[in-house]
Amino acid sequence: MADRIITYGDVIDDVVAIPEGPIRDDTDTPSSIHSRPGGSAANTAAWLGSLGADALFVGSVSSGDVARHTQLLSAVGAASQLAGSPVLPTGTIVVIVEGQRRAMLTERGANTLLDPAQVTDELLAGARVLHITGHALLNDAGAPGIASLIRRARAAGVTVSVAPGSAGFIADYGPAAFLEDMAGADILFPSLEEGRLLTGLSEPDEIGAALAFETVVLTLGAAGVLVRHDGVSTGVHAVSAPVVDPTGAGDAFCAGFLDEWVRTSDPVASARAGALVASRAVGVIGGRPQP
């Protein structure tokens, strides 16, 4: 069976600002500022590539940025198929990092044009996993396009995993609508905050049991991970590491999980692998491994 992992969703140019102290109104705040490639699905592909996995990212950027973003992913071992828009800019996010917390100012740009038809049946025939990020629901093809893509993937025997995106996105989109539109996926990777929004419940065990996916991988920050698979819940410890920038840690976790899963199909071992890769991600500025 092919071990290719396709990631489908956003690619972004991140501007990461790390203030040296509290942000002051109406005046300067000394900061370090870094330009980094980002986007949840593209980040996951990049971490997969760095692990030696057969990773393919499918996304959309400005026409003038196709070659640049293709090279950025290739430099860390990931392939890509990028559509180029002659009108819209590449998506951009300003990320303000304060300790272990972030604020993000987002322009999705060409990401809104991403079409599920770009993940062709031919691509699915050579894949083991299709990983979708939640913001793909905001593209012009919308929920019907995502539902069709999930159906095609399942018909091809491809496992479908979903990273919700963010609690703010889920709140704006609607938890019930999100769950309905991602129905049919096999693996869900919510954070605790996202899980609480999706279920209305507070405790990790309750959240895992309430989400109707074969495998729920609930990330709990420093408290580790709760894996719910075939009705059984298992806790996995986090891997402690100094935090430079938490951007992309969840994307890296998904990469580590899926890289292990295609080899072993063991969700607990996969969660341990994901925690290890996430611990590497928080030690670099930006959401991707360094080439």
Side-chain angles (χ1 to χ4, degrees):
M1 181 180 291
D3 285 341
R4 168 161 282 188
I5 300 169
I6 300 172
T7 70
Y8 171 83
D10 284 7
V11 56
I12 294 286
D13 284 327
D14 284 344
V15 179
V16 182
I18 306 177
E20 294 179 6
I23 296 176
R24 301 182 296 175
D25 293 337
D26 299 321
T27 190
D28 295 335
T29 300
S31 307
S32 62
I33 299 176
H34 311 266
S35 296
R36 295 287 189 271
S40 182
N43 290 347
T44 296
W47 284 104
L48 283 164
S50 76
L51 296 170
D54 182 359
L56 172 67
F57 169 69
V58 178
S60 180
V61 295
S62 166
S63 297
D65 285 337
V66 170
R68 176 170 66 89
H69 274 284
T70 297
Q71 191 280 328
L72 286 167
L73 285 162
S74 177
V76 290
S80 58
Q81 289 194 11
L82 300 176
S85 170
V87 177
L88 293 178
T90 299
T92 303
I93 296 180
V94 177
V95 183
I96 302 172
V97 179
E98 296 184 274
Q100 297 192 31
R101 299 189 62 81
R102 297 164 298 153
M104 289 171 282
L105 310 176
T106 303
E107 179 183 5
R108 297 194 66 243
N111 289 299
T112 60
L113 302 180
L114 185 61
D115 186 345
Q118 290 173 244
V119 185
T120 64
D121 291 343
E122 289 75 18
L123 287 180
L124 290 172
R128 179 81 177 276
V129 176
L130 171 66
H131 180 69
I132 301 172
T133 52
H135 288 90
L137 287 166
L138 300 178
N139 299 340
D140 288 351
I146 291 294
S148 174
L149 177 56
I150 292 174
R151 285 195 300 270
R152 288 194 292 114
R154 293 297 302 274
V158 176
T159 296
V160 179
S161 64
V162 173
S166 71
F169 159 67
I170 293 170
D172 293 342
Y173 191 82
F178 177 87
L179 290 172
E180 179 180 354
D181 294 341
M182 291 298 186
D186 303 281
I187 304 171
L188 185 71
F189 291 106
S191 68
L192 179 59
E193 186 178 6
E194 292 162 357
R196 285 171 171 165
L197 274 171
L198 289 170
T199 64
L201 301 171
S202 297
E203 296 303 314
D205 282 336
E206 295 175 333
I207 293 168
L211 291 167
F213 296 82
E214 180 181 346
T215 304
V216 176
V217 186
L218 185 67
T219 55
L220 308 172
V225 183
L226 179 77
V227 180
R228 176 88 177 182
H229 178 72
D230 284 345
V232 178
S233 294
T234 306
V236 171
H237 293 297
V239 177
S240 180
V243 177
V244 174
D245 176 10
T247 303
D251 307 327
F253 175 87
C254 291
F257 183 102
L258 294 172
D259 177 58
E260 178 69 20
W261 189 87
V262 297
R263 290 195 297 266
T264 67
S265 299
D266 182 337
V268 175
S270 298
R272 293 192 184 104
L276 183 61
V277 180
S279 74
R280 291 172 47 198
V282 299
V284 299
I285 294 173
R288 297 191 192 175
Q290 298 301 306

